[in-house]
Amino acid sequence: LDIWLGYFRNVLLAMITGQEPSNDLQFNNYSSPRLRKILKLIQRINFLIEKTNINPRLALEILAIEL
């Protein structure tokens, strides 16, 4: 989750600042609001896995469906 969080943060920052996309940052398919929604979802699922009794596998499956 931390890797995905870092990746999508970098994509959003590159998009907002107008940087040229590097080879590892592919953001043609994402809009700024969509990236924000993805970041919030990753943070929420990360919190739920750490602080509650949620099934981690199910939480990650839900995240994968949303991406």
Side-chain angles (χ1 to χ4, degrees):
L1 287 175
D2 291 333
I3 293 171
W4 279 353
L5 191 60
Y7 172 78
F8 284 110
R9 267 192 197 141
N10 289 338
V11 169
L12 182 61
L13 287 174
M15 181 182 286
I16 289 173
T17 59
Q19 293 177 352
E20 290 293 321
S22 62
N23 292 338
D24 60 335
L25 296 179
Q26 300 294 324
F27 55 85
N28 295 334
N29 297 332
Y30 296 106
S31 64
S32 180
R34 177 77 177 138
L35 287 170
R36 289 185 185 125
K37 182 180 176 185
I38 289 171
L39 286 170
K40 286 180 184 179
L41 182 61
I42 293 172
Q43 289 173 334
R44 187 172 138 245
I45 288 179
N46 195 19
F47 173 80
L48 290 174
I49 289 173
E50 290 178 1
K51 304 292 182 186
T52 66
N53 193 18
I54 193 170
N55 183 339
R57 183 176 177 174
L58 180 60
L60 293 175
E61 287 178 7
I62 291 170
L63 177 61
I65 290 171
E66 290 293 322
L67 294 179

